[in-house]
Amino acid sequence: MIDFELGEEHEALRKTVEEFAQAEVAPVIGDFYERDEFPYEIVGKMGRMGLFGLPVSEEYGGMGGDYFALCLALEELARVDSSVAVTVEAGVSLGIMPLYRYGTEEQKRRWLPELTAGTKLGAFGLTEPDGGSDAGATRTTAVLDNGEWVLNGSKAFITNSGTDITALVTATAVTGKKPDGGKEISTILVPSGTPGLTVEKKYSKVGWNASDTHPLSFDDCRVPAENLLGERGRGYAQFLSILDEGRIAIAALSTGLAQGCVDESLRYVRERSTFGKTIGGYQAIQFKLADMELRTHNARLAYYAAAGKMLRGKPFKKEAAIAKLTASNAAMDNARDATQIFGGYGFMNEFPVGRFYRDAKILEIGEGTSEVQRMLIARELGLH
Amino acid sequence: MNIVVLVKQVPDTYSERKLSDADSTLDRDSADAVLDEINEKAVEQALQIKEAGEGEVTVVCVGPDRATDAIRKALSMGADKAVHVCDDALHGSDVLATAKVIAAAIGKGDAPDLVLAGNEATDGGGGAIPAILSELLGLPQLTHAREVSIEGQTVKATRETDEGLTYLEANLPAIVSVAEKINEPRYPSFKGIMAAKKKPVDTFTVADLGVDAGEVGLGNAWSAVTEAAPKPPRAAGQKAEDEGDGGTKIAEYLVTQKLI
């Protein structure tokens, strides 16, 4: 059973998102990026297409698809632009999936219909100023007081947390001590606008400039006790599982960026001439493009394989880490090569490859750095 | 309301389109095939009318086997069912024969309240099907609509021409052809894509429809392509040096082209 051909429905979805990205995103996204502006209209259109509801069942407003469908959509979006791709990625894999996987029936009914429709966005508050991958470093606390959780602390680099349509933040917090003395971490839903939740000024970023990222602070922020997501003390396990899935999504997004570099470069090397012939005729350029194609191919296979394991209900932690590492490397390497192929124009923001270059670096960092991926792979090999 | 939408699969306008060497009909293998964009707009209009009230949208397509892809696209946008007329005998049919076949295919289902079509296909560009169909079915036609609305048993349409806007109306049932500006067609959702697979598609041959095979196909067409040549490559432009009189030179050139 080895078949990497897409089924009819997945292929139809891929083609639809490809057409959408080319027609609706490509012509306008550069301006949003330049202005550091969140593209509400594009997000609305992606919502109407059902992109935010891809892996969610229809009873909660979803499309009844699967996580692989989401990955295909992310790849096609990122082929054109990573800001819109990560808005969907974070909206679904971090905003929706924790609720969908661990929420009570009531929580799901309350939040999911608008989140899957893309009319509202959810954010996931995990990373803190002093700790990302090291969850033990979590400092935000939540204490039960009179039937309410009282949150104090701060979160860093939270995607989709400060848009006009952000509905809630799912925050991890220390809620006590485990019997072994370690931190008990739980996940708590904090609706936007709750007093005590401050969405700080948005970051000035190297890339992903048309996406929304803010620091958050909680200052005696009170929410009802029933806003606990899933079981108390399961926060750590929940986000580890959410991040495993999210790595496949980021791998798909990275593959898209790598493919975008190939697309743009292929077009350019057939048009641009130097010393009397088009630069695509020179072996120096041909080898670069061959390498770029190779990396993209491997990245795609890696995330297809990880998604395949996940959908079959098999353990996929190692495959997800391998996919994320392979694809983010491919994205970074391809972005560097594409920029080089474009020469001076590669350094100009008016060409997409410059944007790809700026957007690629974060892929080696977000949702687990490359070092963390290696750590995970080594652990899966039994090394501790 | 029972709405029929005519859809056609055409070569993608972005790909290289040509006629076959053998019989000067469309070379379908040379280009990617897509649902004609104007038909997407017709489907969108049908869906909007259905969503504003109630009804059923049936797409009717005449085309070869692979036109099922175009039909599937219309179904994944939200149309309810499809009729596909597929028969080798139809190869090379002209607009008259095609319209006869479409009329017969429409006749196979419940009588439509509204037939929607694009004003002209991007490949043949005949633009005659809605009018011929109107004659064959004995229905009023409102063509080149920029806006369409249904009010009770009346359909109203706005037609835009270079001279201005014309406001048209007819009693239902009627045929309406839509123009470029009518709407922005939706992208199919994944739910729609998955649902499309399960929607009924009735496939008919010419014989099934009771159309005489002697009335269709290339041999029975009322017009024939006698010769075809590829478009000559674009000639290099004229270069003019700007010696302080660039504006004048451009103006003079535009005058020679009768553009100003």
Side-chain angles (χ1 to χ4, degrees), chain A residues 28-73:
Chain A
V28 297
I29 197 62
D31 290 339
F32 284 100
Y33 198 90
E34 281 295 292
R35 295 196 302 265
D36 278 352
E37 195 180 320
F38 189 76
Y40 286 100
E41 200 181 321
I42 294 176
V43 172
K45 286 178 179 174
M46 295 193 294
R48 285 193 286 282
M49 277 172 78
L51 297 190
F52 290 92
L54 279 172
V56 177
S57 66
E58 292 183 30
E59 58 178 318
Y60 303 112
M63 292 289 117
D66 52 39
Y67 208 81
F68 184 54
L70 170 69
C71 290
L72 290 172

Side-chain angles (χ1 to χ4, degrees), chain B:
Chain B
M1 172 171 298
N2 186 16
I3 307 172
V4 165
V5 186
L6 309 185
V7 300
K8 185 180 187 187
Q9 190 181 46
V10 298
D12 194 339
T13 47
Y14 294 103
S15 56
E16 188 97 2
R17 294 177 293 175
K18 60 189 184 79
L19 299 181
S20 76
D21 297 330
D23 61 5
S24 295
T25 60
L26 176 65
D27 182 352
R28 294 183 189 269
D29 294 328
S30 72
D32 293 336
V34 297
L35 172 60
D36 201 343
E37 205 179 323
I38 196 72
N39 295 153
E40 285 184 22
K41 290 171 189 264
V43 171
E44 174 64 36
Q45 199 56 38
L47 294 174
Q48 286 182 15
I49 292 169
K50 177 188 157 178
E51 285 158 5
E54 55 168 333
E56 190 174 52
V57 176
T58 307
V59 293
V60 171
C61 179
V62 178
D65 261 350
R66 74 167 178 177
T68 47
D69 292 343
I71 291 171
R72 185 98 66 207
K73 172 98 184 258
L75 293 175
S76 63
M77 286 174 73
D80 300 289
K81 57 193 175 73
V83 172
H84 182 189
V85 186
C86 180
D87 195 324
D88 289 343
L90 288 165
H91 174 81
S93 293
D94 62 5
V95 286
L96 288 167
T98 305
K100 271 183 204 164
V101 170
I102 292 172
I106 290 174
K108 276 278 180 183
D110 296 338
D113 299 300
L114 180 65
V115 177
L116 281 165
N119 57 356
E120 63 176 11
T122 52
D123 57 352
I129 292 281
I132 301 172
L133 202 57
S134 142
E135 181 69 22
L136 292 174
L137 296 176
L139 300 179
Q141 53 162 333
L142 310 183
T143 54
H144 293 261
R146 192 181 77 164
E147 274 173 55
V148 178
S149 64
I150 305 288
E151 289 168 28
Q153 281 306 300
T154 307
V155 54
K156 295 187 173 181
T158 307
R159 175 191 294 155
E160 184 178 8
T161 63
D162 290 345
E163 280 73 41
L165 298 177
T166 314
Y167 301 96
L168 312 161
E169 62 176 78
N171 288 328
L172 294 174
I175 294 176
V176 175
S177 77
V178 302
E180 199 60 32
K181 285 186 186 165
I182 186 88
N183 58 40
E184 279 303 316
R186 69 195 63 189
Y187 290 89
S189 71
F190 195 51
K191 193 156 65 177
I193 289 168
M194 291 193 294
K197 249 182 136 172
K198 299 179 196 105
K199 291 176 176 172
V201 180
D202 288 329
T203 306
F204 296 115
T205 62
V206 171
D208 293 337
L209 297 177
V211 174
D212 181 359
E215 289 184 83
V216 301
L218 188 61
N220 301 302
W222 285 49
S223 63
V225 177
T226 54
E227 203 180 339
K231 202 158 65 175
R234 199 178 294 179
Q238 292 176 29
K239 225 174 207 176
E241 290 293 325
D242 182 8
E243 289 152 357
D245 58 351
T248 315
K249 280 179 176 163
I250 289 172
E252 282 169 2
Y253 173 77
L254 291 174
V255 168
T256 65
Q257 299 298 307
K258 299 202 165 78
L259 288 169
I260 56 174

Side-chain angles (χ1 to χ4, degrees), chain A residues 190-245:
Chain A
V190 183
S192 297
T194 303
L197 163 63
T198 308
V199 178
E200 309 282 357
K201 186 168 168 281
K202 74 175 173 188
Y203 293 99
S204 164
K205 298 183 299 238
V206 170
W208 283 2
N209 287 348
S211 77
D212 179 79
T213 325
H214 299 258
L216 303 176
S217 59
F218 299 95
D219 185 15
D220 285 335
C221 175
R222 303 180 81 95
V223 297
E226 63 262 26
N227 281 24
L228 179 70
L229 183 70
E231 276 175 60
R232 180 168 175 169
R234 294 290 295 162
Y236 189 62
Q238 287 169 355
F239 77 70
L240 283 185
S241 160
I242 288 298
L243 289 187
D244 280 341
E245 293 177 1

